[in-house]
C-alpha cells in the first residue's frame, strides 16, 4: 500500500492550494486552470466560480477564490477528453465498475454520444440525429407526465429559465432539482415562516454580527471563502459557535489567503470560539432548550413578537411542556451547557444563524429549520443589521435555478405569469420531486428521464435501484460536462449531450454571451467564460434546450427559442416579464459590476406569509426522535399517534445501535471525486468509517479494523408505512479515529448512498435523511470477511 504522509499544516493557504491542485491535474491543465482562476469571481468579464454558492466579497481587489474552487475549475478545464476513442476502448459494462474518481478523471465529454447495445458502447451521433430521437420518444408518450426532467445547480439562470419553460410547454411540472436533496427544508419552511425561503442576511451583516451560531456546516471544505468572513467577524468581537457532532479541524486552523502575514509567516486563526458537540439529529432538542430558557427567563423581544409574529402562544406552551431530561437526551448536551449558550443569545444585540446539510438532511430537517427561525424570531433577529437567517447553499446556482422556475411544486403566481407572457396554458398539477420521481422510475411509471447536469442516481438514496430502473426506460438524456455513474445504465435509447462549462466562451451568431447566477444571499451576478471550449462540438445549455424545444414542440411553438439561445438578452427580457423581482433585468445587470440584490421582503419586515406575519411553528416530531432509536425505547410522541407505530424497536437489544451521518471530503465536489485526501480529517482513503477513539476502546476495537455497516429494515422510516425494505449492508469500511459525538459514526457521500432509502425523509420537504440513519456495526476479519466480534 502506498503511504501518504498525514497533513499537519494549518488549513487553506497557498502552499496547500498549489500542491493539491498540481497533484490533481496535469501541468498543462493546471496552467489553463490558473489562467481561468484569475478571472473567477472578479468584477467585469469574469466567470462566477462553478463551485459553491457563497457570495463574492465586494471589496476584494485581489482574486477571490479558494483551494476547492480551483479544484472545481481544474476539473472543468482539464484537457483530457472522454471522446469517441475513449468510448471505443471501454464498454459500458466495464465503465460500470469504475470508481467515481476514475470516471471524473476520464476527462471532459466532448461530442454527442448514443448507446449502442450491440457493442455495449457509447458511439458518436450527430446533434441532429440525437434531437430527432428525443422528439420521436417524447412525442410517443401517452402523457407528458411520463417524462422526468432533473436539474443540478450548476446551470445558470438563462438556460434554466428556458429549460423549465420548455418542460412546461411540453406539458408537465416534473422538474425535480438537486435542491430536493439539499436545502429543500430551508426553502419550504423558511418560505412558510418568513414568506421567502432564502437567506435574510447579506454579506455586510457578517461584519456587524455579535454572535454567529453555525449549525451543521463544514465551511473549511465546502465554503472556504466563508472562513475569511468568519475570521473577520471574530476579529471585530463576534463570538462564533459551531454546533456539530464533529470537531471539524478546518475551523480551528485557518490560514487566510487574503492576509499577507498569514501566508508569509505561517500564522493561522481559530475561526470558532467553541464547538458544541451535539448528537446526530439533536439540533431541534438543543434549539428547544435555548428557546425554552429564553422564554422562561423573559429574555425575548416581546415588542417584535407582538408586532410582527403569529403563532407565539402555541409555541410557548409547547416549549414549557418540554422537559430538560428530554432536551438533554435528545441533544446529548447538558442543561448547564445549553443555558450558557442561551445566555450568549440573550446578550447578543445581533445574531446570525447559519446552517448547512447537518440541519436539513434529516427526517426532522423541516423541524430543525423551523426551530432556527423560531429562535431568530423570538429574539427579533430578522430585519436588523448584523442579524438574520443564513442558510448556506451548495451548488453555485442552485438558488437561481429555483428562482427561474425549476420547481416541481410551482407557485400559482409563476404559472400565471408564464401563461400571461407566453400566451399558452401551463400544467397545473404538481410534478415529481427527486424522491417521488425516483420511486416512479423504480415502479416503471416513467418512460423518459432527462438530466440537465448532475448525477441523479448516485446523489439520491437507493442508488442501485435507480440505476436498474434507468435501464427500463425508453430514453435517458444526459446534458453534462463529465462522465458519471448515472449515465452508465442505459435504457432502450440513451444519449449524452456534452455542454460548455461555465469557464468557457459562449459565442453565437449574435456574438459573445454572458449569463447570470444568484448566490446564496440573493445577489444576481453576471458570469462570462473566457476559455476556448475543450471541443468544438460542445453546445451551450441554452442552445441544447432551444434545439430540443424546436424539434419537440415544432409547429405549435410560437416562442422564439433560437433567438433566445443566440442572444441571452432576449431570454433576460422574458425573465424580466415572467419572474418577480427581475424588472429591467438587462439594464440592472449592466448597471453595476457585481449585479444587483433581489428584493427580500422579510429583510424589511414585510411578511408575505399566509397570516401576513412572521410565523412561529411547533416541531412535528418529538425532540427525542433520534435519541429514542438509539436507546431502543418507546417514543413519547406529543399526540401519541403516528411515530409510535412506525418506529420498530431494535430486534437485537444486545447489539449497539449507532447513528450514521454522511459527509463530504476535502477532495470532492459532491459526486465528482477529485482525490482521496481529506486533509483536515487526516485520511487518504474513502472507504472509512469515522468513530471516536473512546468508543473504539469501549468495544475493544482499534483504528484500522474492518467493519460492516448495516442499516436495519425501516428502523426510522417515518413516512411510508408500506415500505418493504430489505436490510442494507456496506463494507468493509476501515475504522478511523475522529473527534465525533458518542453513538455517532460518519462515512463519505456518495459511496454510502445505498444505505439510505427513498422512504425515510422529512414530511413536508421530502429531503432524504442522509445525515441520520440508524445502523449496527460488525467487525470482520480483513482477510476472510468473516465476523470477528471479539
Ligand atoms: N469543496 C466542496 N464544496 C462544496 C461541495 C463539495 O462537495 N465540495 N458541495 C456543495 C454542496 S451541493 C453543498 S449542499 C454544500 C454542503 O456543505 P455542508 O453543509 O458543509 O456539507 P456536509 O459535508 O454534507 O456536512 C456538513 C456538516 O454537518 C455535520 N453534521 C452531520 N450531522 C449533523 C447533525 O445532526 N447536526 C449538526 N448540527 N451537524 C451535523 C457534519 O459533521 C458536517 O460537518 O457544500 C457545497 N460546496
Ligand atoms: N449521502 C448523501 N447524499 C447526498 C448528499 C449528502 O450530503 N449525503 N448531498 C446532497 C446534495 S446537498 C446535493 S446538492 C446532491 C448533488 O447532486 P447532483 O447535483 O446531481 O450531483 P453533482 O455531483 O453535483 O453532479 C455532477 C455532474 O454534473 C455535471 N456537470 C458539471 N458541471 C456542469 C455544467 O456546467 N452543466 C451541466 N449541464 N452539467 C454539469 C457533470 O456531468 C457531473 O458529473 O447530492 C445529494 N446527495
Ligand atoms: Mo447541495
Amino acid at each position: 500500500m502506498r503511504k501518504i504522509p498525514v497533513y499537519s499544516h494549518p488549513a487553506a493557504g497557498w502552499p496547500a492550494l498549489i500542491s493539491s491542485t498540481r497533484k490533481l491535474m496535469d501541468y498543462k491543465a493546471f496552467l489553463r486552470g490558473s489562467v481561468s482562476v484569475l478571472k473567477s469571481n472578479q468584477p467585469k468579464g469574469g466567470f462566477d466560480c462553478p463551485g459553491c454558492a457563497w457570495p463574492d466579497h465586494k471589496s476584494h481587489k485581489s482574486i477571490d477564490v479558494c483551494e476547492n474552487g480551483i479544484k472545481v475549475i481544474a476539473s472543468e478545464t482539464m484537457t483530457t477528453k472522454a471522446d469517441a476513442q475513449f468510448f471505443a476502448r471501454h464498454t459500458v459494462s466495464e465503465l460500470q465498475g469504475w470508481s467515481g474518481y476514475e470516471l471524473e478523471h476520464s476527462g471532459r465529454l466532448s461530442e454527442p454520444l448514443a448507446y449502442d447495445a450491440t457493442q455495449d458502447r457509447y458511439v458518436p451521433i450527430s446533434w441532429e440525429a440525437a434531437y430527432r430521437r428525443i422528439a420521436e420518444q417524447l412525442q410517443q408518450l401517452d402523457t407528458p407526465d411520463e417524462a422526468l426532467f432533473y436539474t443540478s445547480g450548476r446551470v445558470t439562470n438563462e438556460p434554466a429559465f428556458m429549460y423549465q419553460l420548455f418542460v412546461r410547454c411540453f406539458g408537465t411540472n416534473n422538474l425535480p432539482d438537486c435542491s430536493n436533496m439539499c436545502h429543500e427544508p430551508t426553502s419550504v419552511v423558511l418560505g412558510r415562516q418568513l414568506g421567502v425561503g432564502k437567506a435574510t442576511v447579506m454579506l455586510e451583516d457578517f461584519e456587524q454580527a455579535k454572535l454567529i451560531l453555525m449549525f451543521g456546516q463544514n465551511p473549511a471544505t465546502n465554503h472556504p471563502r466563508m472562513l475569511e468572513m468568519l475570521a473577520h467577524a471574530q476579529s471585530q468581537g463576534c463570538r462564533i459557535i459551531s454546533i456539530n457532532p464533529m470537531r471539524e479541524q478546518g475551523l480551528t486552523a485557518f490560514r487566510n489567503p487574503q492576509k499577507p502575514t498569514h501566508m508569509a509567516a505561517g500564522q493561522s486563526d481559530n475561526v470558532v470560539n467553541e464547538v458544541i458537540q451535539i448528537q446526530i439529529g439533536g439540533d431541534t432538542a438543543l434549539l428547544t432548550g435555548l428557546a425554552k430558557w429564553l422564554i422562561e427567563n423573559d429574555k425575548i423581544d416581546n415588542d417584535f413578537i407582538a408586532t410582527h409574529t403569529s403563532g407565539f402562544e402555541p409555541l410557548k406552551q409547547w416549549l414549557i411542556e418540554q422537559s430538560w431530561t428530554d432536551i438533554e437526551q435528545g441533544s446529548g448536551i447538558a442543561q448547564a451547557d445549553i443555558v450558557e449558550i442561551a445566555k450568549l443569545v440573550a446578550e447578543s444585540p445581533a445574531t446570525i444563524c447559519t446552517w448547512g446539510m447537518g440541519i436539513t438532511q434529516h427526517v426532522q430537517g423541516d423541524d430543525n429549520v423551523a426551530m432556527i427561525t423560531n429562535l431568530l424570531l423570538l429574539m427579533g433577529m430578522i430585519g436588523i443589521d448584523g442579524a438574520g437567517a443564513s442558510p448556506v447553499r451548495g451548488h453555485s446556482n442552485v438558488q437561481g435555478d429555483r428562482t427561474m422556475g425549476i420547481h416541481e411544486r410551482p407557485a400559482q403566481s409563476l404559472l400565471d405569469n408564464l401563461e400571461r407572457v407566453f400566451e399558452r396554458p401551463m400544467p397545473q398539477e404538481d410534478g415529481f420531486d427527486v424522491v417521488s420521481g425516483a420511486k416512479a422510475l423504480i415502479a416503471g411509471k416513467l418512460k423518459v428521464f432527462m438530466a440537465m447536469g448532475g448525477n441523479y442516481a448516485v446523489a439520491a438514496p437507493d442508488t442501485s435501484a435507480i440505476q436498474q430502473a434507468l435501464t427500463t426506460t425508453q430514453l435517458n438524456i444526459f446534458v453534462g460536462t463529465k462522465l458519471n455513474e448515472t449515465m452508465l445504465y442505459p435504457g432502450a435509447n440513451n444519449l449524452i449531450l456534452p455542454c460548455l462549462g461555465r469557464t468557457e466562451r459562449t459565442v453565437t451568431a449574435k456574438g459573445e454571451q454572458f449569463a447570470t447566477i444568484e448566490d446564496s444571499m440573493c445577489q444576481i451576478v453576471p458570469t462570462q467564460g473566457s476559455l476556448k471550449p475543450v471541443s468544438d462540438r460542445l453546445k451551450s445549455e441554452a442552445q441544447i434546450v432551444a434545439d430540443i424545444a424546436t424539434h419537440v414542440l415544432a409547429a405549435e411553438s410560437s416562442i422564439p427559442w433560437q433567438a433566445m439561445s443566440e442572444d441571452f438578452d432576449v431570454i433576460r427580457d422574458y425573465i424580466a416579464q415572467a419572474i418577480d423581482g427581475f424588472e429591467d433585468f438587462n439594464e440592472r445587470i449592466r448597471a453595476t459590476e457585481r449585479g444587483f440584490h433581489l428584493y427580500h421582503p422579510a429583510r424589511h419586515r414585510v411578511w408575505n406569509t399566509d397570516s401576513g406575519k412572521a410565523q412561529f411553528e411547533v416541531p412535528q416530531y418529538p425532540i427525542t426522535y433520534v435519541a429514542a432509536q438509539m436507546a431502543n425505547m418507546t417514543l413519547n410522541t406529543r399526540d401519541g399517534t403516528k411515530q409510535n407505530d412506525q418506529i420498530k424497536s431494535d430486534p437485537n437489544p444486545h447489539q449497539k445501535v449507532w447513528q450514521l451521518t454522511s459527509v463530504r471530503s476535502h477532495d470532492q465536489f459532491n459526486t465528482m471525486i477529485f482525490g482521496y485526501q481529506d486533509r483536515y480529517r487526516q485520511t487518504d482513503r474513502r472507504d472509512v468509517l469515522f468513530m471516536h477513539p473512546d468508543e473504539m476502546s469501549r468495544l475493544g476495537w482499534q483504528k484500522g479494523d474492518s467493519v460492516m455497516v448495516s442499516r436495519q429494515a425501516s428502523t426510522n422510516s417515518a413516512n411510508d408505512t408500506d415500505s418493504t425494505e430489505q436490510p442494507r449492508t456496506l463494507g468493509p469500511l476501515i475504522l478511523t479515529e475522529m473527534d465525533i459525538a458518542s453513538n455517532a459514526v460518519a462515512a463519505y457521500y456518495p459511496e454510502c448512498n445505498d444505505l439510505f432509502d427513498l422512504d425515510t425523509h422529512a414530511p413536508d420537504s421530502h429531503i432524504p435523511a442522509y445525515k441520520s440513519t440508524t445502523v449496527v456495526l460488525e467487525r470482520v476479519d480483513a482477510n476472510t470477511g468473516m465476523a470477528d466480534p471479539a
Side-chain angles (χ1 to χ4, degrees):
M1 266 270 314
R2 194 167 56 105
K3 199 108 189 102
I4 299 180
V6 174
Y7 185 88
S8 58
H9 303 294
W14 290 112
L17 191 155
I18 287 167
S19 70
S20 82
T21 315
R22 204 167 34 216
K23 241 178 279 148
L24 175 70
M25 303 296 159
D26 63 77
Y27 190 60
K28 201 167 139 208
F30 174 61
L31 274 185
R32 194 174 128 92
S34 47
V35 171
S36 54
V37 164
L38 294 174
K39 293 188 187 277
S40 141
N41 294 356
Q42 285 302 291
K44 279 233 156 80
F47 61 85
D48 180 77
C49 177
C52 76
W54 185 255
D56 308 339
H57 293 211
K58 287 203 178 68
S59 55
H60 279 167
K61 304 281 185 293
S62 59
I63 58 170
D64 188 8
V65 76
C66 68
E67 175 192 3
N68 279 347
I70 292 188
K71 289 183 193 169
V72 174
I73 293 166
S75 155
E76 184 175 298
T77 58
M78 61 164 54
T79 47
T80 314
K81 287 182 213 164
D83 52 13
Q85 287 78 33
F86 171 86
F87 288 102
R89 286 196 300 275
H90 307 288
T91 63
V92 167
S93 306
E94 180 199 339
L95 292 170
Q96 285 176 355
W98 284 27
S99 66
Y101 174 86
E102 290 166 310
L103 292 173
E104 159 64 21
H105 289 258
S106 66
R108 276 289 295 276
L109 293 164
S110 56
E111 57 199 295
L113 300 159
Y115 178 67
D116 176 358
T118 53
Q119 300 182 51
D120 184 30
R121 281 177 220 282
Y122 271 110
V123 295
I125 183 174
S126 72
W127 281 101
E128 182 55 31
Y131 293 142
R132 279 205 305 270
R133 203 174 289 188
I134 293 171
E136 197 179 281
Q137 292 299 329
L138 283 177
Q139 284 157 359
Q140 268 177 28
L141 297 180
D142 293 333
T143 135
D145 293 330
E146 288 177 333
L148 191 69
F149 298 90
Y150 175 67
T151 310
S152 165
R154 283 243 187 129
V155 183
T156 50
N157 288 330
E158 287 75 3
F161 180 80
M162 291 178 72
Y163 183 53
Q164 61 83 33
L165 181 63
F166 157 68
V167 171
R168 296 204 161 98
C169 289
F170 175 63
T172 180
N173 284 315
N174 281 347
L175 283 161
D177 181 67
C178 70
S179 265
N180 296 143
M181 301 180 264
C182 185
H183 262 294
E184 193 70 356
T186 303
S187 306
V188 170
V189 179
L190 210 56
R192 213 155 61 190
Q193 292 186 280
L194 301 183
V196 186
K198 298 179 181 180
T200 68
V201 295
M202 290 174 74
L203 217 43
E204 38 272 41
D205 289 313
F206 281 77
E207 296 177 4
Q208 296 172 52
K210 291 293 168 236
L211 177 66
I212 296 174
L213 300 178
M214 188 167 73
F215 291 90
Q217 238 199 305
N218 182 22
T221 284
N222 297 318
H223 305 92
R225 290 174 301 128
M226 180 179 178
L227 288 191
E228 198 188 314
M229 198 71 239
L230 294 176
H232 177 74
Q234 212 196 35
S235 72
Q236 307 288 301
C238 177
R239 205 179 162 85
I240 302 176
I241 301 176
S242 165
I243 294 114
N244 198 315
M246 287 204 198
R247 200 173 294 276
E248 296 282 15
Q249 268 194 33
L251 290 171
T252 52
F254 166 60
R255 255 189 218 178
N256 192 338
Q258 307 287 347
K259 263 194 193 171
T261 52
H262 266 197
M263 304 313 283
Q267 295 170 347
S268 61
D269 287 332
N270 183 347
V271 297
V272 292
N273 300 81
E274 204 176 329
V275 179
I276 301 295
Q277 217 160 9
I278 196 163
Q279 287 296 345
I280 289 177
D283 299 85
T284 286
L286 172 75
L287 284 151
T288 298
L290 296 177
K292 180 182 172 74
W293 188 88
L294 290 162
I295 286 190
E296 289 178 353
N297 291 275
D298 197 21
K299 300 291 185 191
I300 55 181
D301 185 340
N302 291 301
D303 287 347
F304 176 86
I305 294 170
T307 317
H308 289 289
T309 71
S310 162
F312 174 66
E313 282 305 325
L315 177 70
K316 180 179 173 181
Q317 196 50 43
W318 180 83
L319 285 169
I320 290 170
E321 286 163 14
Q322 303 306 303
S323 74
W324 279 103
T325 316
D326 281 356
I327 291 170
E328 286 189 332
Q329 202 195 351
S331 62
I333 309 292
Q335 177 176 357
D337 295 335
I338 298 178
V339 170
E340 285 305 304
I341 311 170
K343 286 180 182 164
L344 295 174
V345 175
E347 283 158 19
S348 164
T351 303
I352 291 178
C353 289
T354 79
W355 67 93
M357 298 300 101
I359 280 295
T360 59
Q361 294 173 335
H362 298 276
V363 170
Q364 328 90 299
D366 301 345
D367 284 353
N368 285 342
V369 173
M371 280 308 296
I372 291 177
T373 319
N374 287 342
L375 182 71
L376 290 167
L377 291 175
L378 286 173
M379 305 310 292
M381 288 295 156
I382 308 272
I384 59 168
D385 290 345
S390 179
V392 183
R393 304 266 166 184
H395 271 295
S396 50
N397 197 39
V398 62
Q399 189 163 316
D401 288 346
R402 277 306 181 77
T403 307
M404 289 299 117
I406 305 275
H407 209 304
E408 77 287 352
R409 294 186 269 181
Q412 192 58 45
S413 57
L414 171 76
L415 297 178
D416 292 348
N417 284 351
L418 292 172
E419 291 190 339
R420 173 178 50 77
V421 175
F422 296 99
E423 298 175 331
R424 49 161 59 232
M426 293 290 152
Q428 303 290 315
E429 296 270 294
D430 283 355
F432 289 128
D433 57 24
V434 162
V435 161
S436 55
K439 286 189 184 185
L441 258 177
I442 292 167
K445 292 181 190 151
L446 296 173
K447 294 186 179 144
V448 174
F449 172 75
M450 173 162 178
M452 183 54 80
N455 192 358
Y456 184 81
V458 173
D462 268 323
T463 294
S464 304
I466 298 175
Q467 285 172 330
Q468 284 317 308
L470 286 171
T471 65
T472 65
T473 62
Q474 284 306 309
L475 171 67
N476 302 319
I477 310 159
F478 300 97
V479 180
T481 52
K482 294 305 255 310
L483 184 61
N484 65 48
E485 298 91 331
T486 309
M487 301 171 180
L488 298 173
Y489 292 81
N493 292 281
N494 216 70
L495 297 167
I496 294 180
L497 306 179
C499 65
L500 292 167
R502 200 180 289 176
T503 55
E504 291 166 324
R505 249 180 257 140
T506 302
V507 184
T508 71
K510 292 280 158 62
E512 206 157 324
Q513 304 299 313
F514 72 91
T516 59
I517 61 102
E518 176 180 343
D519 69 28
S520 200
M521 296 181 191
C522 312
Q523 188 77 16
I524 308 295
V525 189
T527 172
Q528 184 165 16
S530 49
L531 293 182
K532 184 171 177 288
V534 286
S535 152
D536 56 12
R537 305 206 56 209
L538 307 181
K539 287 186 191 283
S540 73
E541 289 152 333
Q543 183 68 60
I544 294 171
V545 175
D547 292 347
I548 293 178
T550 311
H551 283 75
V552 175
L553 306 174
E556 39 146 344
S557 185
S558 56
I559 298 167
W561 298 104
Q562 294 299 332
M564 289 164 102
S565 69
E566 279 177 9
D567 182 353
F568 288 10
D569 277 359
V570 176
I571 315 175
R572 280 186 285 268
D573 279 340
Y574 281 118
I575 294 173
Q577 295 175 62
I579 307 289
D580 295 338
F582 284 82
E583 299 75 22
D584 304 320
F585 192 3
N586 274 310
E587 293 81 68
R588 281 157 77 207
I589 198 67
R590 287 176 168 87
T592 68
E593 286 177 347
R594 289 179 185 272
F596 57 92
H597 188 254
L598 274 186
Y599 175 70
H600 191 305
R603 244 187 104 72
H604 307 278
R605 299 193 165 176
V606 172
W607 316 104
N608 290 342
T609 58
D610 290 347
S611 62
K613 302 255 176 143
Q615 191 67 47
F616 285 109
E617 279 191 15
V618 174
Q620 306 187 48
Y621 288 93
I623 59 174
T624 49
Y625 177 70
V626 167
Q629 297 163 43
M630 316 281 301
N632 187 26
M633 58 174 226
T634 321
L635 282 180
N636 306 304
T637 49
R638 262 186 301 125
D639 55 4
T641 54
K642 67 171 189 180
Q643 291 90 352
N644 259 330
D645 0 301
Q646 290 184 4
I647 299 162
K648 315 259 184 317
S649 60
D650 190 329
N652 182 354
H654 302 294
Q655 207 158 11
K656 187 171 162 67
V657 170
W658 302 78
Q659 281 298 315
L660 172 87
T661 197
S662 60
V663 294
R664 295 159 163 78
S665 89
H666 201 68
D667 238 357
Q668 72 185 87
F669 195 94
N670 295 341
T671 69
M672 304 168 81
I673 311 302
F674 303 140
Y676 286 88
Q677 266 212 307
D678 198 351
R679 182 142 49 76
Y680 307 138
R681 300 195 188 113
Q682 301 178 345
T683 173
D684 53 21
R685 51 197 301 168
R686 292 185 59 84
D687 57 344
V688 296
L689 187 73
F690 294 110
M691 184 189 277
H692 199 283
D694 292 352
E695 297 274 352
M696 289 184 201
S697 32
R698 259 194 284 281
L699 291 164
W701 294 358
Q702 284 173 355
K703 67 175 177 187
D705 284 354
S706 299
V707 286
M708 301 300 290
V709 182
S710 299
R711 157 80 185 278
Q712 301 296 292
S714 289
T715 41
N716 55 2
S717 181
N719 302 285
D720 292 24
T721 32
D722 57 350
S723 149
T724 51
E725 200 200 332
Q726 300 300 310
R728 298 146 182 265
T729 299
L730 175 76
L733 298 181
I734 308 302
L735 268 191
T736 303
E737 292 185 345
M738 163 65 56
D739 190 349
I740 184 172
S742 55
N743 300 317
V745 287
Y748 286 125
Y749 145 63
E751 286 86 342
C752 61
N753 277 30
D754 263 325
L755 283 177
F756 308 116
D757 72 301
L758 289 160
D759 289 333
T760 307
H761 54 72
D764 301 335
S765 63
H766 301 175
I767 192 164
Y770 299 120
K771 290 285 188 277
S772 50
T773 288
T774 310
V775 296
V776 293
L777 308 176
E778 182 181 39
R779 188 166 73 163
V780 294
D781 184 285
N783 300 316
T784 63
M786 302 295 279
D788 178 16

